Amino acid sequence: MKIAVISGSSRPKSQSLKIANWVVEKLRDLDTEPILIDLHEHVLPTEINLLDLKNEPTGLKAWSPVQEILQDSLGFVVVSPEWNGMAPPALMNMFEYASVSSKPLAHKPGQIITVSNTDGGSYPAAQLRVHGGKNNHSFYNPEIVIIRNCEKVFNSESPEVGNSADEYLQARVEHSLRIFLEYVKAMQSLRENSKVDLLKYPNGM
């Protein structure tokens, strides 16, 4: 079972990437095949016409490896930082790409994990739930996780001794991932037998 894990920060060595790498290891422990998409490494151009992507060689070259990972995955985990109360541009831009072409996220479940260096983190979760799936037809596990004061947690595979926040959050993420994987299993059979017509109805309302 392949699962895409998306580190939504475009910054190098970000806290989002740290937590995304933790998620990758945890998903391996849960007998899946996680594949990391680091949006610092996979830079998707913003200045191109996505409605005519087939005639945009720069965009196609950048998007093709990301699209292939998403297409092959049965679900996806989004690790999003909060930048000024929003999900970062690179992440929302990726969802724009996924809303055209082959719609590789269509009717696949996602898991939202948001990251804040302070006590924030709720706004990108709301943004992703409202806007993140409209035209790519994805949806999210309701067990969203918000990781606050992120520099103090997820610094090792197991919780730091005496760090109650780290212990709670690592357990909460694992719980959410287990539920997410049940959605993944359920939606696989629905997609295989579905009468969804993405050609006739390519966009949400």
Side-chain angles (χ1 to χ4, degrees), residues 151-180:
E151 292 184 356
K152 300 177 181 179
V153 294
F154 291 89
N155 292 313
S156 58
E157 186 176 347
S158 300
E160 179 185 351
V161 176
N163 187 336
S164 59
D166 198 21
E167 182 178 356
Y168 172 77
L169 286 168
Q170 289 200 26
R172 189 63 186 260
V173 170
E174 180 174 351
H175 169 72
S176 296
L177 290 175
R178 289 182 182 275
I179 295 175
F180 158 71

Side-chain angles (χ1 to χ4, degrees), residues 190-204:
L190 184 145
R191 286 194 306 277
E192 291 171 354
N193 300 301
S194 176
K195 294 181 172 58
V196 172
D197 190 343
L198 291 175
L199 293 177
K200 188 174 182 180
Y201 303 108
N203 298 321

Side-chain angles (χ1 to χ4, degrees), residues 8-89:
S9 176
S10 56
R11 294 172 180 163
K13 300 179 181 179
S14 66
Q15 292 292 308
S16 298
L17 180 60
K18 177 188 78 174
I19 292 165
N21 282 322
W22 187 97
V23 170
V24 165
E25 294 305 316
K26 181 57 63 177
L27 285 171
R28 286 201 181 104
D29 292 343
L30 297 174
D31 297 322
T32 71
E33 185 180 344
I35 305 171
L36 178 68
I37 299 173
D38 179 2
L39 293 182
H40 168 67
E41 298 290 340
H42 292 282
V43 180
L44 301 174
T46 58
E47 70 278 4
I48 66 173
N49 179 10
L50 286 177
L51 297 178
D52 192 26
L53 185 58
K54 64 181 182 297
N55 292 317
E56 294 281 1
T58 302
L60 270 178
K61 183 178 180 180
W63 170 238
S64 291
V66 177
Q67 180 183 10
E68 183 176 350
I69 293 171
L70 296 178
Q71 196 75 57
D72 291 345
S73 298
L74 300 182
F76 62 101
V77 179
V78 180
V79 182
S80 172
E82 182 176 73
W83 289 3
N84 297 313
M86 294 179 286

Side-chain angles (χ1 to χ4, degrees), residues 73-144:
S73 298
L74 300 182
F76 62 101
V77 179
V78 180
V79 182
S80 172
E82 182 176 73
W83 289 3
N84 297 313
M86 294 179 286
L91 179 58
M92 299 311 293
N93 185 47
M94 190 212 73
F95 284 115
E96 290 286 344
Y97 274 82
S99 296
V100 297
S101 66
S102 64
K103 296 188 184 289
L105 297 179
H107 301 283
K108 294 181 181 179
Q111 171 67 50
I112 295 174
I113 300 173
T114 63
V115 178
S116 172
N117 193 38
T118 58
D119 291 328
S122 60
Y123 287 104
Q127 184 180 357
L128 288 166
R129 290 197 68 172
V130 173
H131 301 294
K134 177 183 179 292
N135 287 346
N136 59 60
H137 298 279
S138 62
F139 71 101
Y140 293 107
N141 175 14
E143 294 293 330
I144 290 170

